[in-house]
Amino acid sequence: MTSSEISSQARSSNIQHKTEEKLCDSSERSCLGLMTDFIKKGEEQVMDNSAADNGLKEVLTDVALAPAQSLWTTDASGAVLLRIDELCPQKPITVHQMFMNSVQKYGNLYALATKRNDKWEKITFSEYYHYCRMAAKSFLKIGLERFHSVAILGFNSAEWFFSAVGAVFAGGITTGVYATNSPEACLYVAHDSRANIIVVENQKQLDKILEIKHKLPYLKAIVQYSGSVQKELPGLYSWEEFMTLGQDISDKTLDDIISSQNANQCCVLIYTSGTTGMPKGVMLSHDNITWTAQHASRAGDMQPAEIKQESIVSYLPLSHIAAQIYDLWTGIQWGELVSFAQPDALKGTLIGTLKEVTPSSHMGVPRVWEKIMGKLKEELSHCAYIKKKLLTYAMSICLEANQKSTNDEEKSFLFTLANSLVLEKVRTELGFSCCEKYFSGSAPIGSDTTEFFLGLNIRLYEAYGLSESSGPHFMSGPKTYKRTSCGKVVPGCRYKLVNVGADGTGEVCFWGRNVFMGYLNLKDKTLEALDEYGWLRSGDLGKADEDDFLYITGRIKELIITAGGENVPPVPIEDAVKKELPIISNAMLIGDKRKFLAILLTLTCVTNAETMEPTDDLSPDAVEYCKQLGSQATKVSDVTGGKDKVLNQAIEEGIAQVNANATSNAQRIQKWTIIAKDFSVTGGELGPTMKLCRPFVLKKYHDEIEQFYKE
């Protein structure tokens, strides 16, 4: 691509962005027509009109970009214009260029750590890069075609990383598949992404693919990376066999493919969890990945290894953008040491791994933080009286101090004493003795959870973004923090609120180098997500304060519109119920097109460690709560159907308290019921990232809901 073509691309994006920036001010709506004129007349009419443009020409010299005409595409082999402007002029690079930069700087540092036979095995960045090239050659040998996918189905591992990066090096597209997916869900992703190769973890995941293999016309091979292959089948390889397949592929052959890659082409597919419809393949470019890995992570104060090597534990699903950006791509960018948790991490072994690794940074989805909180509360309930009182007192001191100030130097001697003598020991028992940054993402986190961890002197830094924004568009961090806020927009990115109401709430829209290319093969859905000027509609409602911190208040598709026409955001009401009633695990507000609001409730209970199914046994914390009320309930079945009058009265009073704070009569909860079983991934009520699947719940509990509205 010539420098004039590149400069033309930059000008187009620059003009588009400068004009769209004015849209943030409703008094300048006339610029909509002006921008359209710019595009129709051609960029040549504004050549050399700005000093910023001249600077961009220098920045973009020798950058590999494929010719593109638009900010979006739905073609896997397509290319897009990049949103480069004076606030975001960084040179676009490919994934391979990012990795090579890191190898040059961090080649001898340890990159990945895996525990085998009770011993941690580590490899350096140079070795990591070498294994990725080996995987790339083997993918080429077994027929990976350009812009077809390598689908990866399994728990986090070094092999997952080698497959993901190797697929990109070989000119393919990395596609993660949730390990909890059914065979039918795997079929949808593998077929839609035109998967040539599927990498599976073990026999359990292999069986899913063998069940649907005959329906996958593009599939050429399956690779199993953990456990021995139990039965020899054509096109099925163990990991050891696979890694030797490409030995006769020359370095030049692979390097030629790598050199032909462009920063504005697709290299990763992230499939949405499907909580609001069929999953969509979010196409992310090399530039989406490399720019976000560098700039969003720095907004969260992640350090490059030449200053301090960060250490993290990888355990969240890598098919989700949050974990993939945080664990895989940011790990390469900044030279982090990534240690892999055991596959049963979320069944109880995570804390053990954290204690061994002692990470410097840790990320969890809200449900993970809630589980840690529940475990601590359970252990606290079994403590001796004096120890329990001491810990509770220390946490109250710490919480009060943290609510008043974020600066430890301004806090009292009593806080310092409580933190160093009591709370530091608790953090050590959680594996956080060296941890400096704690992140929460993928869904809003409840205020009761954030307050609990503040009591342990742990600030949970919220990140907010979408798969379509390559992960975080807003970040909290040590230098950018307000409780209940998801932080400020990542430097270099922009946002605006549209359709703003009287209370300052509007739909959050994104602009930046992290905004996706489009949905694979879904033009209509792509045009729903992107407006005509390339702004990404989030579908989320939010408001900003005077310091430009963003607060998410709900989701447009989740908005309940009552029969009387009142708009009700359900999440704040649901959170208020859970805060008022600690025994409540999940709450879902009902009332769309109905005369009044009702709510489905589940109780906190013990989860089967093997199946992750919720049991009938109340959690120890819930049992203790019942005892304090004078109830003898120990099981969910002791309570459902109104059997426990004492607990019923407590829930009635808690909901009355929530109603007392309602902004209008239409936002008051009129009826409620307790579901016999807690929501779960296995039950279908929660998605792979623990988000509530509202349409599924409405269908599954149709009879219970209809009971609310019987005359």
Side-chain angles (χ1 to χ4, degrees):
M1 188 174 184
T2 67
S3 59
S4 62
E5 287 174 323
I6 294 167
S7 183
S8 176
Q9 188 222 28
R11 281 192 299 276
S12 176
S13 183
N14 197 26
I15 295 161
Q16 212 162 2
H17 182 74
K18 284 182 178 179
T19 308
E20 183 58 16
E21 183 182 6
K22 297 180 182 179
L23 298 181
C24 298
D25 185 345
S26 59
S27 66
E28 298 188 59
R29 296 289 176 179
S30 60
C31 70
L32 285 166
L34 177 61
M35 178 174 176
T36 304
D37 290 342
F38 271 144
I39 295 171
K40 287 181 178 178
K41 291 177 182 177
E43 295 88 359
E44 66 275 6
Q45 293 190 11
V46 289
M47 288 178 66
D48 303 320
N49 276 0
S50 76
D53 231 358
N54 292 331
L56 282 174
K57 291 176 187 175
E58 295 177 12
V59 170
L60 293 173
T61 301
D62 298 326
V63 174
L65 294 177
Q69 303 299 320
S70 173
L71 289 167
W72 63 269
T73 182
T74 60
D75 182 357
S77 63
V80 294
L81 298 171
L82 301 180
R83 292 166 172 79
I84 298 172
D85 64 15
E86 67 277 10
L87 283 185
C88 195
Q90 293 85 6
K91 177 180 176 180
I93 60 173
T94 63
V95 164
H96 183 265
Q97 288 171 314
M98 177 178 75
F99 207 147
M100 280 299 297
N101 290 341
S102 293
V103 170
Q104 290 169 9
K105 290 186 288 185
Y106 314 128
N108 293 327
L109 291 179
Y110 285 124
L112 305 179
T114 304
K115 191 175 184 181
R116 293 188 176 94
N117 300 319
D118 293 326
K119 182 180 179 181
W120 285 98
E121 299 175 1
K122 298 179 181 179
I123 64 169
T124 66
F125 275 93
S126 293
E127 292 169 325
Y128 182 5
Y129 175 75
H130 173 67
Y131 288 134
C132 291
R133 286 184 66 94
M134 287 178 65
K137 289 181 178 182
S138 293
F139 283 140
L140 293 173
K141 182 68 176 181
I142 54 180
L144 177 60
E145 300 173 64
R146 192 70 183 268
F147 299 114
H148 281 247
S149 86
V150 172
I152 312 172
L153 173 62
F155 187 74
N156 310 21
S157 67
E159 293 83 2
W160 210 109
F161 279 30
F162 300 152
S163 299
V165 179
V168 176
F169 283 5
I173 298 175
T174 295
T175 305
V177 185
Y178 286 107
T180 54
N181 271 12
S182 65
E184 293 73 22
C186 293
L187 171 64
Y188 178 86
V189 172
H191 189 279
D192 190 60
S193 64
R194 301 187 305 167
N196 286 154
I197 295 119
I198 300 179
V199 179
V200 299
E201 178 186 359
N202 51 27
Q203 186 66 41
K204 178 183 177 181
Q205 303 297 357
L206 174 61
D207 288 342
K208 295 179 185 178
I209 303 305
L210 293 179
E211 184 178 327
I212 60 170
K213 181 183 176 184
H214 64 287
K215 298 180 182 179
L216 296 172
Y218 305 105
L219 184 63
K220 299 181 180 181
I222 305 170
V223 180
Q224 182 177 323
Y225 66 80
S226 180
S228 59
V229 173
Q230 295 179 9
K231 184 180 179 181
E232 290 189 13
L233 296 170
L236 172 62
Y237 302 94
S238 69
W239 183 259
E240 292 73 19
E241 291 173 325
F242 165 71
M243 288 293 275
T244 63
L245 291 176
Q247 289 179 345
D248 61 346
I249 301 290
S250 69
D251 283 334
K252 184 180 185 306
T253 298
L254 178 58
D255 288 336
D256 286 346
I257 292 171
I258 289 171
S259 298
S260 70
Q261 295 170 16
N262 298 292
N264 59 339
Q265 292 175 315
C266 184
C267 68
V268 169
L269 274 173
I270 299 289
Y271 276 84
T272 59
S273 56
T275 54
T276 58
M278 292 300 291
K280 300 183 287 291
V282 175
M283 297 168 58
L284 300 179
S285 68
H286 287 263
D287 186 62
N288 286 149
I289 294 295
T290 57
W291 190 92
T292 304
Q294 180 175 2
H295 295 280
S297 59
R298 291 297 287 138
D301 204 38
M302 297 298 283
Q303 298 297 313
E306 58 263 35
I307 296 175
K308 175 187 176 181
Q309 187 179 30
E310 298 275 7
S311 169
I312 68 169
V313 172
S314 178
Y315 71 101
L316 292 172
L318 291 165
S319 45
H320 190 269
I321 187 59
Q324 195 174 131
I325 281 289
Y326 181 80
D327 298 3
L328 172 55
W329 305 117
T330 301
I332 294 171
Q333 167 65 39
W334 295 122
E336 298 170 2
L337 173 57
V338 179
S339 300
F340 296 102
Q342 298 301 307
D344 58 354
L346 295 178
K347 296 179 182 179
T349 65
L350 176 61
I351 289 179
T353 302
L354 292 173
K355 289 170 74 171
E356 291 183 44
V357 173
T358 60
S360 63
S361 173
H362 187 68
M363 181 179 70
V365 296
R367 199 67 173 169
V368 168
W369 292 114
E370 289 168 10
K371 282 181 176 292
I372 294 175
M373 177 175 68
K375 183 175 177 61
L376 281 174
K377 285 184 174 180
E378 179 184 344
E379 291 178 356
L380 183 61
S381 69
H382 295 136
C383 286
Y385 177 80
I386 294 177
K387 186 176 181 180
K388 184 189 298 186
K389 282 292 183 183
L390 180 62
L391 181 54
T392 303
Y393 180 58
M395 289 181 67
S396 67
I397 291 170
C398 190
L399 174 60
E400 184 179 0
N402 278 319
Q403 287 176 329
K404 289 180 179 178
S405 173
T406 59
N407 187 350
D408 284 355
E409 294 178 1
E410 297 176 357
K411 293 169 185 171
S412 68
F413 174 73
L414 194 57
F415 162 82
T416 304
L417 207 61
N419 184 49
S420 60
L421 296 182
V422 180
L423 302 177
E424 192 173 292
K425 293 178 181 178
V426 178
R427 294 194 296 272
T428 298
E429 282 301 305
L430 291 174
F432 294 145
S433 59
C434 298
C435 200
E436 299 173 343
K437 296 175 285 288
Y438 307 84
F439 297 102
S440 179
S442 93
I445 191 166
S447 58
D448 58 331
T449 307
T450 58
E451 287 180 4
F452 177 85
F453 282 100
L454 273 179
L456 295 174
N457 204 27
I458 291 175
R459 288 194 200 98
L460 297 182
Y461 301 126
E462 280 201 75
Y464 164 62
L466 312 171
S467 299
E468 293 86 345
S469 64
S470 309
H473 198 84
F474 293 80
M475 282 291 298
S476 295
K479 300 173 184 175
T480 313
Y481 174 77
K482 280 190 180 182
R483 201 159 48 90
T484 74
S485 165
C486 52
K488 292 187 175 185
V489 69
V490 170
C493 297
R494 306 193 190 206
Y495 83 98
K496 65 177 180 178
L497 301 178
V498 299
N499 301 321
V500 179
D503 63 349
T505 298
E507 182 181 6
V508 186
C509 297
F510 301 162
W511 177 278
R513 293 272 285 280
N514 56 340
V515 172
F516 77 139
M517 301 174 70
Y519 295 120
L520 180 64
N521 305 324
L522 296 172
K523 181 178 178 179
D524 290 347
K525 294 293 183 182
T526 299
L527 294 179
E528 284 178 20
L530 297 171
D531 74 11
E532 58 185 316
Y533 302 105
W535 283 81
L536 171 63
R537 304 178 179 98
S538 71
D540 290 319
L541 296 169
K543 61 195 314 184
D545 66 15
E546 64 280 1
D547 298 317
D548 223 22
F549 280 82
L550 185 73
Y551 302 80
I552 298 300
T553 59
R555 185 153 181 81
I556 292 174
K557 288 183 179 179
E558 293 176 351
L559 202 66
I560 291 172
I561 304 176
T562 66
E566 176 106 6
N567 287 0
V568 180
V571 174
I573 298 174
E574 292 162 352
D575 285 347
V577 169
K578 289 191 284 186
K579 185 175 182 180
E580 193 68 37
L581 297 163
I583 196 171
I584 301 300
S585 175
N586 284 285
M588 179 168 149
L589 199 67
I590 307 296
D592 197 47
K593 302 180 181 66
R594 304 281 193 169
K595 294 179 180 179
F596 58 84
L597 298 182
I599 196 165
L600 299 175
L601 305 173
T602 70
L603 303 182
T604 58
C605 64
V606 175
T607 301
N608 184 300
E610 289 300 317
T611 65
M612 300 303 290
E613 286 261 2
T615 70
D616 188 42
D617 294 325
L618 290 173
S619 68
D621 204 38
V623 172
E624 181 64 25
Y625 179 85
C626 290
K627 282 182 180 178
Q628 291 176 4
L629 294 173
S631 164
Q632 300 302 309
T634 60
K635 297 181 179 295
V636 177
S637 55
D638 293 339
V639 175
T640 52
K643 291 192 284 287
D644 192 304
K645 303 301 181 185
V646 174
L647 187 57
N648 268 31
Q649 182 61 33
I651 292 174
E652 195 68 52
E653 291 173 1
I655 287 178
Q657 185 58 47
V658 172
N659 285 340
N661 297 321
T663 56
S664 68
N665 284 332
Q667 298 203 17
R668 294 174 183 267
I669 301 166
Q670 303 297 327
K671 293 184 180 181
W672 57 272
T673 191
I674 297 172
I675 300 300
K677 201 171 186 180
D678 195 9
F679 295 165
S680 66
V681 175
T682 53
E685 299 95 344
L686 303 178
T689 56
M690 305 296 183
K691 289 182 181 177
L692 187 59
C693 302
R694 293 178 189 270
F696 182 87
V697 174
L698 288 173
K699 184 177 180 180
K700 183 171 182 175
Y701 297 101
H702 174 267
D703 292 345
E704 288 87 345
I705 292 168
E706 289 305 313
Q707 284 295 323
F708 289 141
Y709 300 100
K710 282 190 174 180
E711 296 295 339

